[in-house]
């Protein structure tokens, strides 16, 4: 009988410990990432409905929904790596930059109404990628390239051109919908002065 009681006691202690450990895990996970933010894709419709101006968009925090990998071949006469790390692709050395899913970015350049230059680089706003509505992805603002082919695309990032896998074509900008709804913007338009 005492053996059974010890067994039941150890099972109960193990169960309580497991529940506590799971609780710690859940709390820890909820404090990671974008602080529990409700992210949604930034779409052409959402942008138009928001009524945000280019200046107001500069105060919106964007995120990326998947990894974007940029790479460029390093010639034999190039001994330094500018921004990324050295990797090997197909037996050749390449400089590689990985922008991880969930990385925050800001608008730094807007050449026209539906093109957003978003920088994910905290040190250099000149390192940005272009995003625009993609009709093949419900008009979500996705990564734009100079050109795409079946396997990869060519994008401009900083002073150089980089290649990126074709899967990057669907890398989508995300925004915290709750924060955007709660943000108050103030705008004034002077009526002008007339001569009396």
């Amino acid at each position: 009988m005492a053996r059974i009681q010890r067994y039941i006691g150890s099972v109960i202690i193990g169960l309580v410990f497991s529940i506590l450990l799971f609780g710690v895990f859940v709390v820890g996970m909820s404090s990671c990432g974008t602080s529990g933010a409700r992210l949604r894709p930034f779409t052409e419709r959402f942008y138009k409905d928001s009524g945000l101006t280019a200046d107001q968009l500069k105060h919106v925090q964007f995120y990326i929904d998947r990894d974007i990998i940029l790479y460029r071949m390093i010639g034999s006469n190039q001994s330094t790596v500018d921004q990324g790390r050295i990797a090997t692709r197909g037996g050749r050395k390449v400089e590689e930059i990985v922008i991880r899913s969930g990385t925050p970015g800001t608008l730094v350049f807007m050449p026209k109404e539906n093109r957003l230059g978003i920088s994910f680089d905290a040190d250099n706003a000149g390192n940005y990628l272009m995003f625009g509505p993609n009709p093949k992805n419900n008009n979500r603002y996705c990564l734009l390239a100079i050109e795409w082919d079946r396997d990869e695309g060519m994008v401009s990032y900083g002073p150089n051109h980089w290649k990126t896998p074709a899967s990057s074509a669907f890398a989508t900008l995300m925004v915290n919908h709750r924060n955007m709804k709660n943000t108050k913007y103030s705008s004034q338009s002077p009526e002008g002065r007339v001569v009396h």
Side-chain angles (χ1 to χ4, degrees):
M1 186 70 166
R3 183 182 278 179
I4 292 174
Q5 287 176 336
R6 280 194 304 258
Y7 176 74
I8 291 173
S10 66
V11 167
I12 290 173
I13 290 172
L15 185 60
V16 169
F17 180 76
S18 296
I19 291 171
L20 287 174
L21 190 61
F22 179 74
V24 168
F25 174 77
V26 169
V27 170
M29 289 303 290
S30 66
S31 66
C32 294
T34 56
S35 304
R38 244 181 50 197
L39 299 181
R40 68 174 283 178
F42 189 73
T43 63
E44 187 173 39
R45 179 57 169 233
F46 182 57
Y47 174 34
K48 287 181 179 175
D49 289 349
S50 74
L52 295 173
T53 65
D55 284 338
Q56 291 168 338
L57 273 177
K58 290 183 177 178
H59 300 286
V60 172
Q61 184 67 72
F62 292 95
Y63 301 90
I64 194 70
D65 77 331
R66 68 188 69 195
D67 291 358
I68 297 176
I69 300 171
L70 308 176
Y71 58 93
R72 64 189 185 109
M73 301 303 170
I74 297 176
S76 56
N77 59 347
Q78 291 177 290
S79 58
T80 61
V81 174
D82 291 335
Q83 304 166 41
R85 62 183 179 89
I86 300 262
T88 304
R89 287 179 181 263
R92 298 183 64 186
K93 286 186 178 180
V94 298
E95 180 181 2
E96 184 176 85
I97 296 173
V98 180
I99 302 169
R100 299 278 177 211
S101 170
T103 300
T106 58
L107 175 68
V108 294
F109 177 61
M110 199 168 174
K112 56 184 183 177
E113 185 180 340
N114 63 350
R115 295 291 183 265
L116 305 180
I118 305 292
S119 177
F120 301 96
D121 187 333
D123 299 322
N124 187 349
N127 293 335
Y128 61 84
L129 294 168
M130 293 303 298
F131 292 83
N134 183 341
K136 295 179 182 176
N137 195 14
N138 298 318
N139 281 321
R140 294 175 175 185
Y141 272 65
C142 295
L143 180 65
L144 298 176
I146 297 165
E147 62 182 6
W148 290 106
D149 64 28
R150 174 183 273 177
D151 299 320
E152 61 191 10
M154 178 74 70
V155 297
S156 179
Y157 184 78
N160 300 307
H161 287 157
W162 299 73
K163 293 184 178 182
T164 188
S167 60
S168 294
F170 292 100
T172 301
L173 288 178
M174 307 291 283
V175 291
N176 183 336
H177 177 57
R178 183 177 298 144
N179 282 356
M180 282 190 69
K181 283 189 355 188
N182 293 336
T183 301
K184 302 281 190 277
Y185 296 98
S186 174
S187 179
Q188 294 181 0
S189 296
E191 307 242 338
R193 289 176 64 96
V194 295
V195 175
H196 292 282

